[in-house]
Amino acid sequence: MSDVIIAGIGQTPVGEHWEISLRELALDAIEAARKDAGDLRPQALYAGNMLAPSISSQAHLGTLIADFAGMTGIEAASIEAAGASGGAALRQAYLAVVAEAVDVALVIGVEKMTDMTGSQVEAAIATAIDGDYEAAQGLTPTAQAALLMRRYMHEFGVEHDCFASFPLVAHANGEGNPNAMFRKAITSDMYQRAGMVSDPLNMFDVAPGADGAAALILSRGDLLPASFSHPLVRISGSSMASDTLALHDRPDPLAFDAVRISVERACRQAGILPGDVDLFELYDAYSIFAAISLEAAGFAGRGQGWQMAQDGQLALQGNLPIATFGGLKARGNPGGATGVYQAVEAALQLRGQAGQNQVQGARRALIQCLGGPASAAVTHVLERLDS
Amino acid sequence: MSDVIIAGIGQTPVGEHWEISLRELALDAIEAARKDAGDLRPQALYAGNMLAPSISSQAHLGTLIADFAGMTGIEAASIEAAGASGGAALRQAYLAVVAEAVDVALVIGVEKMTDMTGSQVEAAIATAIDGDYEAAQGLTPTAQAALLMRRYMHEFGVEHDCFASFPLVAHANGEGNPNAMFRKAITSDMYQRAGMVSDPLNMFDVAPGADGAAALILSRGDLLPASFSHPLVRISGSSMASDTLALHDRPDPLAFDAVRISVERACRQAGILPGDVDLFELYDAYSIFAAISLEAAGFAGRGQGWQMAQDGQLALQGNLPIATFGGLKARGNPGGATGVYQAVEAALQLRGQAGQNQVQGARRALIQCLGGPASAAVTHVLERLDS
């Protein structure tokens, strides 16, 4: 089997795009990716989206987008795994290429969350958790993350301030990303004074929901034209795993087993250890998620993920940079598009096209997105090939 | 690459399941399929569903169902392509096995449509068509099918009565299916006197939305235990294609190009011609869809699909039986589960387990489901292997 190469990448700015529709937003990212990829013609399209049926009264997005992008006739489907939808779409596209069902596949992650009021959006987002046993009882994903953070603080004797470095790193990196929603560094003092969202989560512990679209073109390596001009970025590991949907069903809510399992499998496939990667685009929808993800992925001991942030290890110059373009926190979290943004950003790093956000000498990246409270985790290892 | 075998099948009765929840309905089908498959343990789950986010306020179904079925940890995602969701989920599972990402995959199609009132359900179903240019203008899928039927009648000089044989065949076959929603044959006279739904579509031209779940277990053929007791049914062709989402964007609305393309590709992969199949589980959500599908698939000339029905060719004893367990019309149309029901029913035919509905000597089946007005088409060729 030939390598699967990320041959084209595209993204729109993340933010509030009231002036354009869902399909126009998707098209912007697709056109950028197609331009980046040169002459490759996708034979299949996988759309990662979570909220369009609820927020835009629109299902059937795969077909809608293929049609609007002038690719009528090709295979097109939507893939959904809540916040992990973008990563899940990437994985399906990868599998379609590996299975040799198609030579070239397009992944589009798109979400438009700001066309409704906050409470409507919160209800739509709550479809990611257990409807009968959580959402119907009034729980929201944010309140759930607050409970998780409180539990972590209690279990490990950690103060709220210990989480400050996660948004500090994210916002510092967002400053250099022209597509980020927030391009301003924040200080510890700002973190401490931030308004409470859901005790103990404050405003800087929660990534902002946003509009955005990102696209990838995957190709079999042996089909790339001789004229292909970018450094080659290969998908060398791909995995998806699940956990209980409801947080209360887990013997240990602080474990994030789906993260652990999918990282193990993706790294095994890539023939590496997690410690071999040069950056980790993790899923910092909440700062507590970032801390636990670092632990579950094997980078930190239990209850010690926050310390990596405090020690400076996660900054661009650290030994495991995260959120290198701002992460969910500062780039913004466009739901089902997020996993595709992560892949675009990691590809930029591995190509050496990350500008002032460049992780020097980056050759391997781990990217991971989560659905619900890590009820789904999709993990990929991307690797730069030498020409 | 080893064959991909349908090693387990399960289904619930189609109808109104007010007494059980979405997850319980799914579990019933999964348990039946796992029992049917023996000891095979799925490593991935693909859920075909269209309406749960809109009707049940529940996304993230892949994880929800994997969790509830006691398979926490495995890969799980939802696949959506409107009415073609079940077929699209089957295709993704097939690709995952072909790609050797997993050895055994579970496909679950589940839909619960009767928990809401008719107008709410109609709005949810309308997410399958173009939201901005069709649904927002007041068009519904049923009204759209009526326009299509009127156009067909005008273009080919066909009377409404000519479509009667489609529901007649479906209801005749539904009689012998214990899982069918309607188990009563109808007469031409009943068809002629049926109440109008959307002129010229009458009640018998429209398949009923319903609750239901169906499941498949796919396995690499070389991993089946020696004790495996069913005749082997192989997936020998798999394809998915798209068309414009909006009907008005097509130069010829009576062409169903996605049907044509996906049938051609699936048959080419299987090394057969459409005429080589012994039955065709087509997507008779509306009788006009059945007529055009027969034409686009190559079984009838343009404007002549209805004649196959009238000539008796589509009955169980005809040369191309359709809707062998009642089809969408009489078995019922549980949205995103429909494509999985079709595969279960075709597998029963090929195994020779179809009871009084058996198509004698059936060795090859074509199955096809559609999303929107054939804006998406998923086609599979299933084949019985001799032991």
Side-chain angles (χ1 to χ4, degrees):
Chain A
M1 171 58 207
S2 166
D3 284 329
V4 180
I5 302 295
I6 295 182
I9 56 179
Q11 60 179 320
T12 72
V14 175
E16 295 174 347
H17 292 290
W18 296 334
E19 74 291 1
I20 60 172
S21 68
L22 185 73
R23 70 188 79 188
E24 289 165 329
L25 192 62
L27 184 61
D28 284 353
I30 289 173
E31 286 186 337
R34 293 195 67 173
K35 194 172 164 202
D36 185 65
D39 288 335
L40 297 168
R41 289 186 174 277
Q43 296 149 330
L45 178 152
Y46 295 93
N49 171 271
M50 178 189 165
L51 301 169
S54 313
I55 290 185
S56 308
S57 295
Q58 183 70 66
H60 214 167
L61 270 200
T63 298
L64 172 76
I65 296 170
D67 178 11
F68 193 63
M71 298 188 283
T72 303
I74 70 168
E75 172 160 10
S78 307
I79 315 291
E80 189 269 328
S85 298
L90 167 56
R91 174 149 169 83
Q92 291 310 313
Y94 167 78
L95 291 178
V97 177
V98 172
E100 301 191 358
V102 296
D103 300 324
V104 179
L106 176 73
V107 184
I108 173 72
V110 60
E111 204 73 77
K112 206 149 193 303
M113 293 168 66
T114 67
D115 287 353
M116 279 191 162
T117 61
S119 63
Q120 289 171 311
V121 172
E122 197 64 24
I125 293 172
T127 62
I129 61 175
D130 192 314
D132 293 346
Y133 295 98
E134 292 180 331
Q137 319 306 322
L139 189 67
T140 67
T142 300
Q144 185 182 57
L147 292 169
L148 194 65
M149 193 174 195
R150 177 65 72 199
R151 178 75 205 166
Y152 186 101
M153 290 163 64
H154 168 81
E155 187 87 19
F156 304 122
V158 169
E159 297 297 313
H160 179 254
D161 281 1
C162 295
F163 294 92
S165 299
F166 290 110
L168 259 69
V169 164
H171 278 264
N173 295 347
E175 225 175 12
N177 178 6
N179 293 307
M181 188 163 180
F182 297 118
R183 302 191 55 191
K184 213 167 77 174
I186 63 167
T187 63
S188 299
D189 191 51
M190 288 167 72
Y191 181 79
Q192 276 161 28
R193 287 184 293 108
M196 196 58 75
V197 173
S198 181
D199 190 10
L201 280 182
N202 76 23
M203 199 182 70
F204 288 115
D205 290 314
V206 184
D211 307 334
L216 300 166
I217 290 177
L218 307 188
S219 172
R220 279 175 49 179
D222 55 354
L223 297 177
L224 288 176
S227 61
F228 191 76
S229 56
H230 302 294
L232 296 186
V233 174
R234 168 174 79 151
I235 299 175
S236 54
S238 172
S239 177
M240 180 169 191
S242 62
D243 200 341
T244 66
L245 183 56
L247 194 61
H248 60 250
D249 280 337
R250 301 185 195 164
D252 178 2
L254 300 173
F256 278 16
D257 278 345
V259 167
R260 179 179 54 74
I261 296 170
S262 68
V263 168
E264 281 173 4
R265 285 191 202 146
C267 287
R268 195 182 317 135
Q269 184 191 345
I272 63 166
L273 293 172
D276 294 334
V277 303
D278 300 309
L279 60 110
F280 180 20
E281 291 298 338
L282 50 62
Y283 192 83
D284 58 331
Y286 306 101
S287 47
I288 180 65
F289 278 22
I292 300 179
S293 292
L294 287 165
E295 299 167 18
F299 294 109
R302 201 173 142 77
Q304 298 177 331
W306 61 274
Q307 222 149 10
M308 292 184 73
Q310 217 169 49
D311 294 352
Q313 296 182 57
L314 307 180
L316 282 183
Q317 301 75 24
N319 60 357
L320 186 72
I322 66 166
T324 66
F325 283 89
L328 280 65
K329 179 65 199 77
R331 176 238 295 130
N333 179 12
T338 292
V340 186
Y341 271 95
Q342 292 177 315
V344 167
E345 291 162 354
L348 286 172
Q349 290 289 359
L350 299 177
R351 285 178 175 184
Q353 298 171 346
Q356 69 181 89
N357 286 46
Q358 185 65 49
V359 173
Q360 293 308 317
R363 306 196 57 83
R364 268 200 212 100
L366 192 67
I367 62 175
Q368 178 173 76
C369 53
L370 307 181
S375 307
V378 186
T379 305
H380 285 90
V381 177
L382 308 184
E383 199 164 358
R384 176 179 174 143
L385 295 178
D386 276 314
S387 49
Chain B
M1 172 57 208
S2 166
D3 284 328
V4 179
I5 302 294
I6 296 182
I9 56 179
Q11 60 179 319
T12 73
V14 176
E16 295 175 347
H17 292 290
W18 295 334
E19 74 291 1
I20 60 173
S21 68
L22 185 73
R23 70 188 79 190
E24 290 166 329
L25 192 62
L27 184 60
D28 284 352
I30 289 172
E31 286 187 336
R34 293 196 65 173
K35 194 171 163 203
D36 185 65
D39 288 334
L40 297 167
R41 289 186 174 276
Q43 296 150 330
L45 178 151
Y46 296 94
N49 171 270
M50 177 189 166
L51 301 168
S54 313
I55 290 185
S56 308
S57 296
Q58 182 70 67
H60 215 167
L61 272 200
T63 299
L64 172 76
I65 296 171
D67 179 10
F68 194 63
M71 298 187 283
T72 303
I74 69 168
E75 172 160 11
S78 306
I79 316 292
E80 190 269 328
S85 298
L90 167 57
R91 175 150 169 81
Q92 291 311 314
Y94 167 78
L95 292 177
V97 177
V98 172
E100 301 191 358
V102 296
D103 299 324
V104 179
L106 176 72
V107 185
I108 173 73
V110 60
E111 204 73 77
K112 206 149 191 302
M113 294 168 66
T114 67
D115 287 353
M116 279 192 162
T117 60
S119 64
Q120 289 171 310
V121 172
E122 198 64 24
I125 293 173
T127 62
I129 61 175
D130 191 315
D132 292 347
Y133 294 98
E134 293 180 330
Q137 319 307 322
L139 188 68
T140 67
T142 300
Q144 185 182 58
L147 292 169
L148 195 63
M149 193 174 194
R150 177 65 74 198
R151 178 77 205 163
Y152 186 99
M153 291 164 63
H154 168 81
E155 186 88 20
F156 304 122
V158 170
E159 297 297 313
H160 179 255
D161 280 2
C162 295
F163 294 92
S165 300
F166 290 110
L168 259 68
V169 164
H171 278 264
N173 295 348
E175 227 176 10
N177 178 5
N179 292 308
M181 189 162 181
F182 298 118
R183 302 190 56 191
K184 213 167 79 174
I186 63 166
T187 63
S188 299
D189 190 51
M190 288 167 72
Y191 180 78
Q192 276 161 27
R193 286 184 293 110
M196 196 58 75
V197 173
S198 181
D199 190 11
L201 280 182
N202 76 24
M203 199 181 72
F204 288 117
D205 290 314
V206 185
D211 306 335
L216 299 166
I217 291 178
L218 307 187
S219 172
R220 280 176 49 180
D222 55 353
L223 297 176
L224 288 175
S227 61
F228 191 76
S229 56
H230 301 294
L232 297 185
V233 174
R234 169 175 78 153
I235 299 174
S236 54
S238 173
S239 177
M240 181 168 189
S242 62
D243 199 341
T244 66
L245 183 56
L247 194 61
H248 59 252
D249 280 337
R250 301 185 196 165
D252 178 2
L254 300 173
F256 278 18
D257 279 346
V259 167
R260 179 179 54 74
I261 296 169
S262 68
V263 168
E264 281 173 5
R265 285 191 202 145
C267 287
R268 195 182 316 135
Q269 185 191 344
I272 63 166
L273 294 172
D276 295 333
V277 304
D278 300 309
L279 60 109
F280 181 20
E281 291 298 338
L282 49 64
Y283 192 81
D284 57 331
Y286 306 101
S287 46
I288 181 65
F289 278 22
I292 301 180
S293 292
L294 286 165
E295 299 166 19
F299 293 111
R302 202 173 141 76
Q304 299 178 329
W306 60 274
Q307 221 150 12
M308 291 184 73
Q310 218 171 46
D311 296 350
Q313 295 182 56
L314 308 180
L316 281 184
Q317 300 75 23
N319 60 358
L320 187 72
I322 66 166
T324 66
F325 282 89
L328 280 65
K329 179 64 199 76
R331 176 239 294 130
N333 179 12
T338 292
V340 187
Y341 271 95
Q342 293 177 314
V344 167
E345 291 162 353
L348 286 172
Q349 290 288 359
L350 300 176
R351 285 178 174 183
Q353 297 171 348
Q356 68 181 91
N357 286 44
Q358 185 65 49
V359 173
Q360 293 307 319
R363 306 195 60 81
R364 270 199 211 99
L366 192 67
I367 62 176
Q368 178 173 76
C369 53
L370 308 181
S375 308
V378 186
T379 305
H380 285 90
V381 177
L382 307 184
E383 199 163 358
R384 176 179 173 143
L385 295 178
D386 275 313
S387 50

Short mmCIF file of all heavy atoms in Angstrom, two decimals, chain A residues 104-147:
data_model
loop_
_atom_site.label_atom_id
_atom_site.label_comp_id
_atom_site.label_asym_id
_atom_site.label_seq_id
_atom_site.Cartn_x
_atom_site.Cartn_y
_atom_site.Cartn_z
N VAL A 104 -7.97 9.86 -4.49
CA VAL A 104 -7.90 11.19 -3.89
C VAL A 104 -9.21 11.48 -3.16
O VAL A 104 -10.29 11.29 -3.72
CB VAL A 104 -7.68 12.28 -4.98
CG1 VAL A 104 -7.63 13.66 -4.36
CG2 VAL A 104 -6.40 11.99 -5.77
N ALA A 105 -9.10 11.89 -1.93
CA ALA A 105 -10.31 12.17 -1.13
C ALA A 105 -10.22 13.56 -0.52
O ALA A 105 -9.13 14.02 -0.15
CB ALA A 105 -10.47 11.12 -0.03
N LEU A 106 -11.37 14.18 -0.42
CA LEU A 106 -11.47 15.51 0.19
C LEU A 106 -12.12 15.39 1.56
O LEU A 106 -13.14 14.72 1.71
CB LEU A 106 -12.31 16.42 -0.71
CG LEU A 106 -12.61 17.82 -0.20
CD1 LEU A 106 -11.37 18.70 -0.27
CD2 LEU A 106 -13.72 18.46 -1.03
N VAL A 107 -11.53 16.03 2.53
CA VAL A 107 -12.13 16.12 3.86
C VAL A 107 -12.52 17.58 4.09
O VAL A 107 -11.67 18.47 3.94
CB VAL A 107 -11.12 15.72 4.96
CG1 VAL A 107 -11.80 15.73 6.33
CG2 VAL A 107 -10.49 14.38 4.66
N ILE A 108 -13.77 17.80 4.41
CA ILE A 108 -14.18 19.16 4.74
C ILE A 108 -14.80 19.16 6.13
O ILE A 108 -15.73 18.40 6.40
CB ILE A 108 -15.15 19.75 3.68
CG1 ILE A 108 -15.72 21.11 4.11
CG2 ILE A 108 -16.29 18.79 3.37
CD1 ILE A 108 -14.74 22.23 4.05
N GLY A 109 -14.26 19.99 6.99
CA GLY A 109 -14.88 20.19 8.29
C GLY A 109 -15.52 21.56 8.28
O GLY A 109 -14.85 22.54 7.92
N VAL A 110 -16.78 21.63 8.62
CA VAL A 110 -17.45 22.94 8.58
C VAL A 110 -18.47 23.02 9.71
O VAL A 110 -19.14 22.05 10.03
CB VAL A 110 -18.11 23.19 7.20
CG1 VAL A 110 -19.17 22.15 6.89
CG2 VAL A 110 -18.70 24.61 7.12
N GLU A 111 -18.53 24.19 10.30
CA GLU A 111 -19.53 24.41 11.36
C GLU A 111 -19.90 25.88 11.35
O GLU A 111 -19.06 26.75 11.16
CB GLU A 111 -18.94 24.02 12.72
CG GLU A 111 -19.97 23.65 13.75
CD GLU A 111 -20.62 22.28 13.52
OE1 GLU A 111 -19.98 21.25 13.81
OE2 GLU A 111 -21.78 22.26 13.04
N LYS A 112 -21.21 26.10 11.54
CA LYS A 112 -21.67 27.47 11.65
C LYS A 112 -22.52 27.53 12.91
O LYS A 112 -23.65 27.05 12.93
CB LYS A 112 -22.48 27.84 10.40
CG LYS A 112 -22.48 29.29 10.08
CD LYS A 112 -22.58 29.59 8.60
CE LYS A 112 -22.27 31.04 8.33
NZ LYS A 112 -23.13 31.99 9.06
N MET A 113 -21.94 28.09 13.95
CA MET A 113 -22.58 28.04 15.26
C MET A 113 -23.19 29.36 15.69
O MET A 113 -23.94 29.41 16.66
CB MET A 113 -21.55 27.61 16.32
CG MET A 113 -21.08 26.17 16.11
SD MET A 113 -19.62 25.74 17.11
CE MET A 113 -20.33 25.84 18.75
N THR A 114 -22.84 30.43 15.00
CA THR A 114 -23.23 31.75 15.54
C THR A 114 -24.52 32.29 14.90
O THR A 114 -24.85 33.46 15.10
CB THR A 114 -22.10 32.79 15.34
OG1 THR A 114 -21.93 33.04 13.96
CG2 THR A 114 -20.80 32.31 15.95
N ASP A 115 -25.23 31.44 14.16
CA ASP A 115 -26.49 31.92 13.55
C ASP A 115 -27.66 31.84 14.52
O ASP A 115 -28.78 32.19 14.16
CB ASP A 115 -26.82 31.11 12.29
CG ASP A 115 -25.90 31.46 11.13
OD1 ASP A 115 -25.11 32.41 11.27
OD2 ASP A 115 -25.96 30.78 10.09
N MET A 116 -27.43 31.37 15.72
CA MET A 116 -28.50 31.25 16.70
C MET A 116 -28.07 31.89 18.01
O MET A 116 -26.91 32.20 18.20
CB MET A 116 -28.81 29.78 16.95
CG MET A 116 -29.70 29.18 15.87
SD MET A 116 -30.29 27.57 16.41
CE MET A 116 -31.68 27.36 15.30
N THR A 117 -29.02 32.03 18.91
CA THR A 117 -28.70 32.62 20.20
C THR A 117 -27.97 31.60 21.07
O THR A 117 -28.01 30.39 20.80
CB THR A 117 -29.97 33.05 20.94
OG1 THR A 117 -30.77 31.88 21.15
CG2 THR A 117 -30.76 34.05 20.13
N GLY A 118 -27.34 32.09 22.12
CA GLY A 118 -26.53 31.24 22.98
C GLY A 118 -27.26 30.04 23.53
O GLY A 118 -26.73 28.93 23.52
N SER A 119 -28.49 30.22 23.98
CA SER A 119 -29.17 29.09 24.61
C SER A 119 -29.55 28.04 23.57
O SER A 119 -29.52 26.84 23.84
CB SER A 119 -30.41 29.55 25.38
OG SER A 119 -31.35 30.12 24.48
N GLN A 120 -29.89 28.49 22.36
CA GLN A 120 -30.18 27.52 21.31
C GLN A 120 -28.93 26.73 20.94
O GLN A 120 -28.99 25.52 20.73
CB GLN A 120 -30.70 28.25 20.05
CG GLN A 120 -32.10 28.83 20.21
CD GLN A 120 -32.48 29.73 19.04
OE1 GLN A 120 -31.73 30.60 18.64
NE2 GLN A 120 -33.67 29.51 18.50
N VAL A 121 -27.80 27.44 20.87
CA VAL A 121 -26.55 26.77 20.53
C VAL A 121 -26.17 25.79 21.64
O VAL A 121 -25.74 24.67 21.39
CB VAL A 121 -25.43 27.79 20.29
CG1 VAL A 121 -24.09 27.10 20.12
CG2 VAL A 121 -25.74 28.63 19.04
N GLU A 122 -26.35 26.21 22.88
CA GLU A 122 -26.03 25.33 24.01
C GLU A 122 -26.87 24.05 23.94
O GLU A 122 -26.38 22.95 24.20
CB GLU A 122 -26.28 26.07 25.33
CG GLU A 122 -25.60 25.45 26.55
CD GLU A 122 -24.07 25.47 26.51
OE1 GLU A 122 -23.49 26.32 25.81
OE2 GLU A 122 -23.46 24.60 27.17
N ALA A 123 -28.14 24.18 23.56
CA ALA A 123 -29.00 23.00 23.43
C ALA A 123 -28.50 22.10 22.30
O ALA A 123 -28.51 20.87 22.42
CB ALA A 123 -30.45 23.42 23.18
N ALA A 124 -28.06 22.73 21.21
CA ALA A 124 -27.56 21.95 20.08
C ALA A 124 -26.28 21.21 20.48
O ALA A 124 -26.09 20.03 20.16
CB ALA A 124 -27.30 22.85 18.88
N ILE A 125 -25.40 21.91 21.21
CA ILE A 125 -24.14 21.29 21.63
C ILE A 125 -24.40 20.14 22.61
O ILE A 125 -23.67 19.15 22.65
CB ILE A 125 -23.21 22.35 22.26
CG1 ILE A 125 -22.77 23.34 21.19
CG2 ILE A 125 -22.00 21.72 22.90
CD1 ILE A 125 -22.01 24.53 21.72
N ALA A 126 -25.47 20.28 23.36
CA ALA A 126 -25.79 19.24 24.35
C ALA A 126 -26.25 17.94 23.70
O ALA A 126 -26.37 16.91 24.38
CB ALA A 126 -26.85 19.75 25.34
N THR A 127 -26.48 17.94 22.37
CA THR A 127 -26.77 16.66 21.70
C THR A 127 -25.54 15.76 21.68
O THR A 127 -25.64 14.59 21.33
CB THR A 127 -27.26 16.88 20.24
OG1 THR A 127 -26.23 17.52 19.47
CG2 THR A 127 -28.52 17.73 20.20
N ALA A 128 -24.39 16.31 22.05
CA ALA A 128 -23.16 15.52 22.09
C ALA A 128 -23.07 14.63 23.32
O ALA A 128 -22.31 13.67 23.36
CB ALA A 128 -21.94 16.44 22.07
N ILE A 129 -23.84 14.97 24.36
CA ILE A 129 -23.80 14.15 25.58
C ILE A 129 -25.06 13.29 25.63
O ILE A 129 -25.83 13.26 24.67
CB ILE A 129 -23.61 15.03 26.85
CG1 ILE A 129 -24.77 16.02 27.03
CG2 ILE A 129 -22.28 15.76 26.77
CD1 ILE A 129 -24.70 16.82 28.32
N ASP A 130 -25.24 12.54 26.69
CA ASP A 130 -26.33 11.58 26.74
C ASP A 130 -27.68 12.29 26.90
O ASP A 130 -27.96 12.89 27.94
CB ASP A 130 -26.09 10.61 27.91
CG ASP A 130 -27.01 9.40 27.86
OD1 ASP A 130 -28.22 9.59 27.63
OD2 ASP A 130 -26.52 8.27 28.04
N GLY A 131 -28.49 12.23 25.87
CA GLY A 131 -29.75 12.97 25.85
C GLY A 131 -30.68 12.56 26.98
O GLY A 131 -31.22 13.41 27.70
N ASP A 132 -30.88 11.26 27.16
CA ASP A 132 -31.87 10.80 28.13
C ASP A 132 -31.38 10.97 29.57
O ASP A 132 -32.16 11.31 30.46
CB ASP A 132 -32.18 9.31 27.91
CG ASP A 132 -32.91 9.08 26.59
OD1 ASP A 132 -33.40 10.07 26.00
OD2 ASP A 132 -32.99 7.92 26.14
N TYR A 133 -30.09 10.72 29.80
CA TYR A 133 -29.62 10.68 31.19
C TYR A 133 -28.80 11.89 31.61
O TYR A 133 -28.47 12.02 32.78
CB TYR A 133 -28.81 9.39 31.42
CG TYR A 133 -29.68 8.16 31.29
CD1 TYR A 133 -29.71 7.42 30.11
CD2 TYR A 133 -30.51 7.77 32.33
CE1 TYR A 133 -30.53 6.29 29.99
CE2 TYR A 133 -31.33 6.65 32.22
CZ TYR A 133 -31.33 5.93 31.05
OH TYR A 133 -32.16 4.83 30.93
N GLU A 134 -28.42 12.73 30.67
CA GLU A 134 -27.64 13.92 31.05
C GLU A 134 -28.36 15.20 30.59
O GLU A 134 -28.86 15.97 31.40
CB GLU A 134 -26.22 13.85 30.45
CG GLU A 134 -25.37 12.73 31.07
CD GLU A 134 -23.96 12.65 30.49
OE1 GLU A 134 -23.76 13.02 29.30
OE2 GLU A 134 -23.05 12.19 31.20
N ALA A 135 -28.44 15.39 29.26
CA ALA A 135 -28.99 16.66 28.75
C ALA A 135 -30.42 16.90 29.23
O ALA A 135 -30.77 18.02 29.63
CB ALA A 135 -28.91 16.69 27.23
N ALA A 136 -31.24 15.84 29.21
CA ALA A 136 -32.65 16.03 29.61
C ALA A 136 -32.77 16.41 31.08
O ALA A 136 -33.79 16.96 31.51
CB ALA A 136 -33.46 14.78 29.30
N GLN A 137 -31.74 16.13 31.85
CA GLN A 137 -31.75 16.50 33.26
C GLN A 137 -31.17 17.90 33.48
O GLN A 137 -31.02 18.34 34.63
CB GLN A 137 -30.94 15.50 34.11
CG GLN A 137 -31.13 14.04 33.72
CD GLN A 137 -32.58 13.61 33.70
OE1 GLN A 137 -33.37 14.04 34.54
NE2 GLN A 137 -32.94 12.77 32.74
N GLY A 138 -30.79 18.56 32.41
CA GLY A 138 -30.32 19.94 32.53
C GLY A 138 -28.82 20.10 32.44
O GLY A 138 -28.30 21.21 32.51
N LEU A 139 -28.12 18.99 32.31
CA LEU A 139 -26.66 19.08 32.20
C LEU A 139 -26.27 19.62 30.83
O LEU A 139 -26.87 19.27 29.83
CB LEU A 139 -26.04 17.69 32.41
CG LEU A 139 -24.51 17.66 32.54
CD1 LEU A 139 -24.05 18.33 33.82
CD2 LEU A 139 -23.99 16.21 32.51
N THR A 140 -25.26 20.47 30.80
CA THR A 140 -24.68 20.91 29.52
C THR A 140 -23.22 20.45 29.49
O THR A 140 -22.63 20.18 30.55
CB THR A 140 -24.71 22.44 29.37
OG1 THR A 140 -23.82 23.01 30.34
CG2 THR A 140 -26.12 22.99 29.56
N PRO A 141 -22.63 20.39 28.30
CA PRO A 141 -21.22 20.00 28.24
C PRO A 141 -20.32 20.88 29.09
O PRO A 141 -19.36 20.40 29.71
CB PRO A 141 -20.90 20.13 26.74
CG PRO A 141 -22.20 19.84 26.06
CD PRO A 141 -23.24 20.49 26.96
N THR A 142 -20.62 22.17 29.15
CA THR A 142 -19.78 23.07 29.94
C THR A 142 -19.93 22.81 31.43
O THR A 142 -18.93 22.75 32.17
CB THR A 142 -20.12 24.54 29.60
OG1 THR A 142 -19.88 24.74 28.20
CG2 THR A 142 -19.27 25.50 30.39
N ALA A 143 -21.15 22.60 31.88
CA ALA A 143 -21.36 22.29 33.30
C ALA A 143 -20.69 20.97 33.65
O ALA A 143 -20.13 20.79 34.75
CB ALA A 143 -22.86 22.23 33.59
N GLN A 144 -20.73 20.05 32.70
CA GLN A 144 -20.09 18.75 32.92
C GLN A 144 -18.58 18.90 33.06
O GLN A 144 -17.95 18.28 33.93
CB GLN A 144 -20.43 17.84 31.74
CG GLN A 144 -19.94 16.42 31.89
CD GLN A 144 -20.26 15.62 30.64
OE1 GLN A 144 -19.86 15.98 29.54
NE2 GLN A 144 -21.00 14.55 30.82
N ALA A 145 -17.99 19.75 32.19
CA ALA A 145 -16.55 19.98 32.28
C ALA A 145 -16.20 20.64 33.61
O ALA A 145 -15.13 20.39 34.19
CB ALA A 145 -16.09 20.84 31.11
N ALA A 146 -17.10 21.48 34.11
CA ALA A 146 -16.87 22.12 35.42
C ALA A 146 -16.84 21.07 36.53
O ALA A 146 -15.99 21.12 37.43
CB ALA A 146 -17.96 23.16 35.69
N LEU A 147 -17.76 20.12 36.47
CA LEU A 147 -17.78 19.05 37.46
C LEU A 147 -16.48 18.24 37.41
O LEU A 147 -15.91 17.85 38.43
CB LEU A 147 -18.97 18.11 37.21
CG LEU A 147 -20.37 18.69 37.45
CD1 LEU A 147 -21.44 17.74 36.91
CD2 LEU A 147 -20.59 18.93 38.94
#
